[in-house]
Amino acid sequence: MLGEYRDKVVLITGGLGFIGSNLAMRLVEEGASVTVVDSSIAGCGANPYNLAAVRDRVNVIPLDIADASDFASEIRKANVIFNLAGEISHIHSMQFPERDLQINAVSQLRFLQECVRHAPGVRVVYAGTRQVYGVPEYLPVDESHPVNPVDFNGIHKFAATMYHMMLSRAGKLDAVVLRLTNVYGPRMALDIACQGFLGTFLRRALLGEALDIFGDGRQVRDPLYVDDVVEAFLLAGLAVLPSRTYNLGGLEPLSLSEIAETMSREAGGVPLTYRPFSAERASIDIGSYCSDWQRIHRELGWKPATSFRDGIARTFSYYRSELAHYLDPGNPDAVCRLPEHHGARHRLALIAV
Amino acid sequence: MLGEYRDKVVLITGGLGFIGSNLAMRLVEEGASVTVVDSSIAGCGANPYNLAAVRDRVNVIPLDIADASDFASEIRKANVIFNLAGEISHIHSMQFPERDLQINAVSQLRFLQECVRHAPGVRVVYAGTRQVYGVPEYLPVDESHPVNPVDFNGIHKFAATMYHMMLSRAGKLDAVVLRLTNVYGPRMALDIACQGFLGTFLRRALLGEALDIFGDGRQVRDPLYVDDVVEAFLLAGLAVLPSRTYNLGGLEPLSLSEIAETMSREAGGVPLTYRPFSAERASIDIGSYCSDWQRIHRELGWKPATSFRDGIARTFSYYRSELAHYLDPGNPDAVCRLPEHHGARHRLALIAV
């Protein structure tokens, strides 16, 4: 980065989460002044321990981005805003669609309106998702692929993507969207089964348990190591952008079997088992996926640098000493039990303020 | 239609509005049993007079689609649901984004969940919009054109479009989306300036006032007569659908000047004036637009049948006798003044139910 972030003021939403906290730590290293906003909504992956090593060098605001007017002064000061707050679980979104709409669309809308008000034209880097593409019509998937999400999460993340793009086209923000693929690495939540198979595999491998593969194991994913994602966010935070939407993707497309085998080896040989998809999972399964990340390579010089084998080795190394901080003792089976007030018993309404 | 709707039970959301009421009247003619749901949200175009001629043959439920659990029995009975409830004003959506989000996304989400619950697999025909495409990358615009809306209305209408498509892909509904272009004809609201230029032109021409053209008048639109839209809804309500998304478009692409001249002639020669875009309008202007409607022509046999000249003649004929029912005496300048409780002083929140 050649010191480009030294003394820059950055705001990170969702900064207690997996990717946000890794980004915060790197920005502290780079000499930036870092403020994190995170309301620690249950099920979204926030973990205060993620920032333990830099806790005295990061300003943490425990607020929801929907209440951005309460931290307007932080928005005004920011040179760059990294916007990673959100819910990523496809399964949660199908169980509680209004909760997902609140977290991923309503809150983003309100946050961005405050950004427009207090920091017009500010660079915002949004953590989008490959989930907006749905079942790939071709591989690898580039940014021109049709948008066709298979779950509420993809729909609402795409609405938030469009908020960023539309407000930028109108000159009110200067946003860029990074569409992430399956990201893994230190600080990912291990106690939220519904956040994706990589966290589940990791947790089970670390505990010496068998890895359950749904389907025949030949489905492809392109896992991306978190340090590579952080690098992309740093580049996108300051770069002159010919485009506004960029896919990120891993170095190698790998089958689920290959992914599981690599993790099993790293764990000293836990068994693999193959299981049929449940109806719930099958209905939102997207088949094989890998990203075409040539656009960001061409325009910003980014590429994934970490092989899956190396990334998994570093990930295991982290969790071997820190595992206790990532297992919820109240949730031993890693079954998602969302608190009732984030679930089905609540609904969205227009209320007076 | 060859009697295909005789004794069919149909539910029309937004049935007091412009297109919904024309559809309701036609379905009554066709012998269907028609229930209309409309909460008459200010600014969205509902007008009880629209159904005056068939009032004793239509069941009107004055509820919001967000409260669909209160009319679940009507959903259960429906053979076909025509889903036209919504806000179409681009300008309203930029003034009050959360209001637009509530009407076009939250309410649709809640309504569709009740449809899934009480009428799984039911055919739902949703009134989408060409606004989701944004500034056209090519003309005419087909269904493969990238989604790139220029305002909150386009974003939220696309979210609702994706709700319909995703739930259908998952086998929970059997929905089809008709993407409408600029529709005109009898029963369109004339007292909501922010609903588009055709209503504004019509109102001013009928009152003998000059027609203000923004820009140089060479922008293209493809106005579509409401009877042609109704025909498409009827076809989509019962057809076997090779695709799920269809553009509708007018018979002829016309410049704004040609459109204004036709209306001026019909009105006995009101003057045309050319004005620069306001900044507000320019920021959400999409330039020239016309739809490629070959897909629905090929698959369902639909095509626009009414020339703009004929459609405008019929429209003027209607309003010459009915104009008083379409001018809000409290709103003589047709300036949009949304009630405060639908505007900026309210916000969306998750509340207990």
Side-chain angles (χ1 to χ4, degrees):
Chain A
M1 284 291 119
L2 298 168
E4 287 184 79
Y5 277 96
R6 180 156 307 282
D7 300 327
K8 284 278 191 300
V9 179
V10 302
L11 182 67
I12 305 176
T13 75
L16 293 182
F18 165 36
I19 302 172
S21 63
N22 280 281
L23 178 61
M25 293 185 68
R26 172 73 184 274
L27 281 162
V28 166
E29 271 175 42
E30 296 280 339
S33 166
V34 179
T35 293
V36 154
V37 176
D38 201 311
S39 61
S40 299
I41 295 173
C44 291
N47 185 342
Y49 186 75
N50 281 339
L51 289 182
V54 294
R55 190 57 192 84
D56 56 340
R57 286 178 285 168
V58 173
N59 174 30
V60 177
I61 301 175
L63 291 176
D64 195 292
I65 60 165
D67 300 317
S69 56
D70 294 342
F71 55 88
S73 61
E74 302 299 326
I75 292 172
R76 269 195 294 273
K77 281 188 294 190
N79 300 118
V80 183
I81 295 172
F82 295 102
N83 187 11
L84 293 93
E87 163 65 272
I88 65 167
S89 169
H90 316 316
I91 291 177
H92 290 172
S93 82
M94 296 306 281
Q95 293 171 328
F96 306 117
E98 292 199 27
R99 173 182 176 277
D100 194 85
L101 176 56
Q102 166 75 46
I103 294 172
N104 283 323
V106 178
S107 297
Q108 285 290 339
L109 171 59
R110 205 167 291 152
F111 175 64
L112 293 180
Q113 287 181 290
E114 294 297 322
C115 292
V116 168
R117 188 167 298 132
H118 299 292
V122 72
R123 171 64 51 90
V124 181
V125 186
Y126 176 62
T129 170
R130 58 111 167 110
Q131 194 67 6
V132 302
Y133 299 122
V135 180
E137 297 181 9
Y138 53 84
L139 294 176
V141 173
D142 60 17
E143 294 84 353
S144 304
H145 187 285
V147 169
N148 210 2
V150 298
D151 55 34
F152 286 112
N153 187 255
I155 294 174
H156 298 142
K157 290 286 287 186
F158 189 64
T161 293
M162 290 189 285
Y163 292 154
H164 287 81
M165 306 298 280
M166 183 272 281
L167 291 169
S168 297
R169 200 178 305 107
K172 296 177 178 180
L173 293 177
D174 180 14
V176 52
V177 177
L178 301 180
R179 290 187 177 155
L180 309 182
T181 182
N182 291 72
V183 183
Y184 70 97
R187 296 177 188 80
M188 73 190 298
L190 301 185
D191 57 350
I192 307 174
C194 297
Q195 270 202 352
F197 77 99
L198 285 173
T200 302
F201 275 15
L202 189 55
R203 178 181 192 279
R204 295 184 65 91
L206 285 159
L207 295 174
E209 296 168 1
L211 306 185
D212 291 334
I213 297 167
F214 293 101
D216 62 7
R218 290 192 290 187
Q219 274 198 5
V220 167
R221 288 291 183 277
D222 59 340
L224 178 58
Y225 188 60
V226 67
D227 286 2
D228 290 339
V229 177
V230 165
E231 192 70 22
F233 272 88
L234 295 183
L235 287 168
L238 296 177
V240 175
L241 300 161
S243 305
R244 294 206 170 276
T245 308
Y246 298 99
N247 282 353
L248 302 187
L251 195 58
E252 323 134 280
L254 296 168
S255 71
L256 295 191
S257 291
E258 290 170 317
I259 290 169
E261 282 158 13
T262 300
M263 293 173 85
S264 168
R265 264 197 306 276
E266 190 66 38
V270 298
L272 311 188
T273 59
Y274 290 81
R275 293 183 190 279
F277 277 103
S278 67
E280 181 187 40
R281 283 175 194 274
S283 74
I284 61 173
D285 179 58
I286 62 164
S288 285
Y289 180 90
C290 60
S291 281
D292 180 335
W293 42 265
Q294 289 302 317
R295 183 191 279 178
I296 188 168
H297 180 54
R298 208 165 47 237
E299 296 188 3
L300 304 191
W302 179 88
K303 63 177 178 182
T306 313
S307 71
F308 188 61
R309 181 183 298 247
D310 287 353
I312 280 296
R314 289 188 230 165
T315 304
F316 271 73
S317 166
Y318 177 79
Y319 283 106
R320 285 203 181 94
S321 61
E322 310 294 345
L323 187 59
H325 300 288
Y326 291 88
L327 297 181
D328 176 359
N331 192 6
D333 299 319
V335 171
C336 282
R337 286 184 297 238
L338 295 175
E340 194 168 88
H341 75 281
H342 285 117
R345 298 253 183 139
H346 280 63
R347 60 196 317 203
L348 285 162
L350 271 181
I351 59 165
V353 291
Chain B
M1 284 290 119
L2 298 168
E4 289 184 76
Y5 278 96
R6 179 157 309 282
D7 300 326
K8 284 277 191 302
V9 179
V10 302
L11 181 66
I12 306 176
T13 75
L16 294 181
F18 165 37
I19 301 171
S21 62
N22 280 281
L23 178 60
M25 293 185 68
R26 173 72 186 277
L27 281 162
V28 167
E29 271 175 42
E30 297 280 338
S33 166
V34 178
T35 293
V36 154
V37 176
D38 201 311
S39 60
S40 299
I41 295 173
C44 291
N47 185 343
Y49 187 74
N50 281 338
L51 289 184
V54 293
R55 188 62 190 83
D56 56 340
R57 286 178 286 167
V58 173
N59 174 31
V60 177
I61 300 175
L63 291 176
D64 195 292
I65 59 165
D67 300 317
S69 55
D70 295 342
F71 56 89
S73 61
E74 303 298 327
I75 292 172
R76 270 195 294 272
K77 280 188 294 191
N79 300 118
V80 183
I81 295 173
F82 295 103
N83 187 11
L84 293 93
E87 163 65 272
I88 66 168
S89 169
H90 316 315
I91 291 177
H92 291 171
S93 83
M94 296 306 281
Q95 293 171 327
F96 306 118
E98 291 198 28
R99 173 182 176 276
D100 194 85
L101 177 56
Q102 166 74 48
I103 294 171
N104 284 321
V106 178
S107 297
Q108 285 289 339
L109 171 59
R110 204 166 292 152
F111 175 64
L112 293 180
Q113 287 181 290
E114 294 297 321
C115 292
V116 168
R117 188 166 297 132
H118 300 292
V122 72
R123 171 65 49 90
V124 180
V125 186
Y126 175 61
T129 169
R130 58 110 167 113
Q131 193 68 7
V132 301
Y133 299 123
V135 180
E137 296 181 8
Y138 54 83
L139 294 175
V141 172
D142 59 18
E143 293 85 353
S144 305
H145 188 284
V147 168
N148 210 1
V150 299
D151 55 36
F152 287 111
N153 187 255
I155 294 173
H156 298 142
K157 290 286 286 185
F158 189 64
T161 294
M162 291 189 285
Y163 292 154
H164 287 81
M165 306 299 280
M166 183 272 283
L167 290 169
S168 297
R169 200 177 306 107
K172 296 177 178 181
L173 293 177
D174 180 15
V176 52
V177 177
L178 302 181
R179 290 188 176 155
L180 308 182
T181 182
N182 291 73
V183 182
Y184 70 97
R187 297 177 188 79
M188 72 190 297
L190 301 184
D191 56 350
I192 307 174
C194 297
Q195 270 203 351
F197 77 99
L198 285 173
T200 302
F201 275 14
L202 189 55
R203 178 180 191 279
R204 295 185 65 92
L206 285 160
L207 295 174
E209 296 168 0
L211 307 184
D212 291 333
I213 296 167
F214 293 100
D216 63 8
R218 291 192 290 187
Q219 272 197 6
V220 167
R221 288 289 184 278
D222 59 340
L224 178 57
Y225 188 60
V226 67
D227 285 2
D228 291 338
V229 177
V230 166
E231 192 70 20
F233 272 86
L234 294 183
L235 287 169
L238 296 178
V240 175
L241 300 161
S243 304
R244 294 206 171 276
T245 308
Y246 298 100
N247 282 353
L248 302 187
L251 195 58
E252 323 134 280
L254 297 168
S255 72
L256 295 191
S257 291
E258 289 171 317
I259 290 168
E261 282 158 13
T262 300
M263 293 173 86
S264 167
R265 263 196 308 276
E266 190 66 37
V270 299
L272 311 187
T273 58
Y274 290 81
R275 294 182 190 279
F277 277 102
S278 66
E280 181 188 39
R281 282 175 194 275
S283 74
I284 60 173
D285 180 58
I286 62 162
S288 285
Y289 181 89
C290 60
S291 281
D292 180 335
W293 41 266
Q294 288 302 317
R295 182 190 279 178
I296 188 168
H297 180 54
R298 207 164 48 236
E299 296 187 3
L300 304 192
W302 179 88
K303 64 178 179 181
T306 313
S307 71
F308 188 61
R309 181 182 298 247
D310 287 352
I312 280 297
R314 289 188 231 166
T315 305
F316 271 74
S317 166
Y318 177 79
Y319 283 106
R320 283 204 183 93
S321 61
E322 310 293 346
L323 187 59
H325 299 288
Y326 291 88
L327 297 180
D328 175 359
N331 192 5
D333 300 318
V335 171
C336 281
R337 286 183 296 237
L338 294 175
E340 195 168 88
H341 75 280
H342 286 117
R345 297 256 184 138
H346 280 63
R347 61 196 317 204
L348 285 161
L350 271 182
I351 59 165
V353 291

